[in-house]
């Protein structure tokens, strides 16, 4: 990661990823308030993906891999084995909300499944897991 031409150290990279995750969490809340439920799920996936990448940088001391699969990312970051069953369930809940949200063939089906109530739950579970990951630093 390169900010303004200068190379960042591991601490700066970790902070960079966590700031992006915080921003995405706030975006998910705005999307929920605006009734943009497809993007609540997408942004929640982004929150956890970026938090895991921040954790990866802090622990592995390398740039994170260019992947979006949360389970694989958590395993590569060596945090997956620390997750509770509830945390793993949250990953399973979020996983399809990234890629599927991008393709029109499944977008309609996904949109029908993302009610306001379900999005409130997704957002809550995302916040719980995000807070837990942040506490590991």
């Amino acid at each position: 990661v390169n900010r303004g031409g200068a190379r960042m150290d591991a601490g700066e990279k970790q902070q960079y990823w966590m700031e992006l995750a915080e921003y995405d969490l706030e975006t998910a809340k705005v999307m929920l308030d605006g009734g943009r439920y497809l993007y609540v799920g997408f942004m929640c996936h982004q929150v956890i993906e970026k938090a895991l990448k921040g954790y990866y940088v802090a622990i592995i001391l390398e740039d994170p891999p260019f992947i979006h699969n949360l389970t694989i990312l958590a395993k590569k970051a060596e945090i997956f084995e620390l997750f509770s069953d509830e945390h793993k369930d949250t990953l399973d809940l979020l996983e399809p909300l990234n890629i599927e949200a991008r393709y029109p063939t499944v977008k309609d089906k996904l949109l029908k499944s993302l009610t306001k109530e379900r999005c409130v739950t997704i957002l809550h579970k995302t916040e719980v897991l995000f807070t837990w990951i942040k506490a590991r630093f």
Side-chain angles (χ1 to χ4, degrees):
V1 180
N2 199 329
R3 248 192 191 167
R7 298 280 307 154
M8 293 192 297
D9 65 28
E12 291 170 320
K13 288 178 185 179
Q14 179 240 317
Q15 182 180 351
Y16 166 81
W17 283 110
M18 297 311 279
E19 285 172 3
L20 289 175
E22 293 274 3
Y23 186 89
D24 288 349
L25 184 61
E26 292 307 310
T27 300
K29 292 175 183 177
V30 170
M31 293 294 108
L32 180 65
D33 290 344
R36 300 290 184 148
Y37 302 136
L38 185 68
Y39 295 99
V40 174
F42 180 75
M43 295 314 299
C44 285
H45 183 285
Q46 291 294 297
V47 170
I48 300 305
E49 180 181 328
K50 290 170 184 171
L52 289 171
K53 288 181 176 184
Y55 186 84
Y56 182 96
V57 166
I59 300 303
I60 310 297
L61 302 177
E62 293 177 5
D63 288 341
F66 291 103
I67 59 174
H68 306 290
N69 183 296
L70 301 178
T71 300
I72 293 172
L73 199 50
K75 287 178 179 177
K76 287 184 178 288
E78 301 174 4
I79 195 173
F80 187 79
E81 60 273 5
L82 304 177
F83 282 175
S84 67
D85 287 344
E86 185 180 341
H87 294 145
K88 291 174 185 174
D89 289 346
T90 299
L91 292 187
D92 290 342
L93 178 68
L94 293 174
E95 202 64 69
L97 302 178
N98 180 42
I99 301 302
E100 290 180 13
R102 300 175 190 217
Y103 296 100
T105 52
V106 284
K107 210 175 206 173
D108 289 341
K109 185 176 153 192
L110 187 57
L111 258 173
K112 286 184 180 90
S113 74
L114 290 173
T115 61
K116 181 174 185 174
E117 295 73 26
R118 183 155 183 248
C119 286
V120 167
T121 299
I122 290 167
L123 187 57
H124 173 72
K125 288 175 182 265
T126 298
E127 285 186 286
V128 168
L129 182 53
F130 181 52
T131 301
W132 186 89
I133 293 169
K134 281 197 305 188
R136 307 279 80 72
F137 289 105

